[in-house]
Amino acid sequence: QQQVKQSPQSLIVQKGGISIINCAYENTAFDYFPWYQQFPGKGPALLIAIRPDVSEKKEGRFTISFNKSAKQFSLHIMDSQPGDSATYFCAARGAGSYQLTFGKGTKLSVIP
Amino acid sequence: EPEVTQTPSHQVTQMGQEVILRCVPISNHLYFYWYRQILGQKVEFLVSFYNNEISEKSEIFDDQFSVERPDGSNFTLKIRSTKLEDSAMYFCASRVDSANYGYTFGSGTRLTVV
């Protein structure tokens, strides 16, 4: 119940294309859903996050779509650039909990 | 931009030895965390620390692990007797307060147990 399932494991997108990464969860007590971007040798960096009371949040080229009834959320990267090549992790936090539960990560490669 | 600083960046230790991983969280942050990432796998929660005590810990955080905030700025993770399976990247993170859920992670310490 504490798991967050992330797909795909890896993704290759052409420059200018849309990258879509999906996550699903079981625990209905999760109340905060962030996405992290990680470059090799670096720690995860918060990209964008959403609470379950909204269905979509957009920040620049990054959009989270959230489907509460399906218990799914996804990250869309519009106009993907080679600099977006990184590993992306979805995560979730349970209400009243201090910890984040991470998905297994998606390695995104944006090719010119 | 404020950073979470971790030292050392890489530590090699022999099995059975004690290691201390060090972190300097962002100065006005109140919540502190350790996570680890075994190579190629997901980031896993170890422990959270608030108001000078552990607030939550995972099953991974057994008696071999301890945390301390000895001087109001540093935040340390000690592994008493390292095992081969402790080899991982260890990330420290901090969060400003209870209303703000965003973590800032450090760049990590790569621990290699041989």
Side-chain angles (χ1 to χ4, degrees), chain B residues 53-68:
Chain B
E53 60 182 25
I54 291 174
S55 45
E56 194 170 352
K57 61 182 180 179
S58 72
E59 292 174 353
I60 303 167
F61 195 88
D62 61 21
D63 292 344
Q64 292 301 310
F65 291 87
S66 62
V67 289
E68 202 174 41

Side-chain angles (χ1 to χ4, degrees), chain B residues 27-107:
Chain B
S27 60
N28 63 333
H29 285 195
L30 301 177
Y31 294 82
F32 313 109
Y33 305 85
W34 284 99
Y35 283 76
R36 80 173 185 190
Q37 185 178 29
I38 295 172
L39 187 64
Q41 299 189 25
K42 67 178 180 179
V43 180
E44 299 175 291
F45 170 77
L46 292 178
V47 66
S48 62
F49 193 85
Y50 170 70
N51 202 24
N52 285 319
E53 60 182 25
I54 291 174
S55 45
E56 194 170 352
K57 61 182 180 179
S58 72
E59 292 174 353
I60 303 167
F61 195 88
D62 61 21
D63 292 344
Q64 292 301 310
F65 291 87
S66 62
V67 289
E68 202 174 41
R69 191 160 156 78
D71 57 10
S73 61
N74 291 287
F75 180 50
T76 62
L77 174 70
K78 183 193 288 187
I79 309 175
R80 259 180 275 282
S81 178
T82 49
K83 307 185 198 67
L84 293 176
E85 54 264 37
D86 293 327
S87 295
M89 183 75 97
Y90 287 81
F91 293 108
C92 174
S94 66
R95 179 163 71 96
V96 58
D97 58 33
S98 59
N100 187 328
Y101 296 160
Y103 285 39
T104 301
F105 281 85
S107 291

Side-chain angles (χ1 to χ4, degrees), chain A residues 15-110:
Chain A
K15 180 182 173 182
I18 303 173
S19 304
I20 302 174
I21 305 170
N22 301 298
C23 283
Y25 63 97
E26 290 294 323
N27 186 350
T28 55
F30 285 146
D31 69 347
Y32 170 71
F33 302 88
W35 284 90
Y36 283 83
Q37 180 189 56
Q38 185 180 31
F39 293 105
K42 297 292 186 184
L46 180 64
L47 197 58
I48 187 172
I50 199 167
R51 302 290 299 273
D53 50 350
V54 298
S55 60
E56 186 174 281
K57 183 174 181 182
K58 185 175 180 179
E59 289 183 3
R61 296 185 293 110
F62 301 93
T63 300
I64 299 180
S65 296
F66 187 84
N67 186 330
K68 190 173 181 178
S69 60
K71 290 185 278 187
Q72 294 175 347
F73 58 110
S74 58
L75 176 70
H76 295 233
I77 306 173
M78 312 299 287
D79 187 26
S80 300
Q81 299 296 312
D84 297 330
S85 297
T87 299
Y88 292 80
F89 292 94
C90 63
R93 192 201 80 130
S97 171
Y98 292 89
Q99 66 174 284
L100 289 176
T101 300
F102 282 81
K104 289 190 174 182
T106 296
K107 186 173 182 181
L108 171 66
S109 299
V110 181

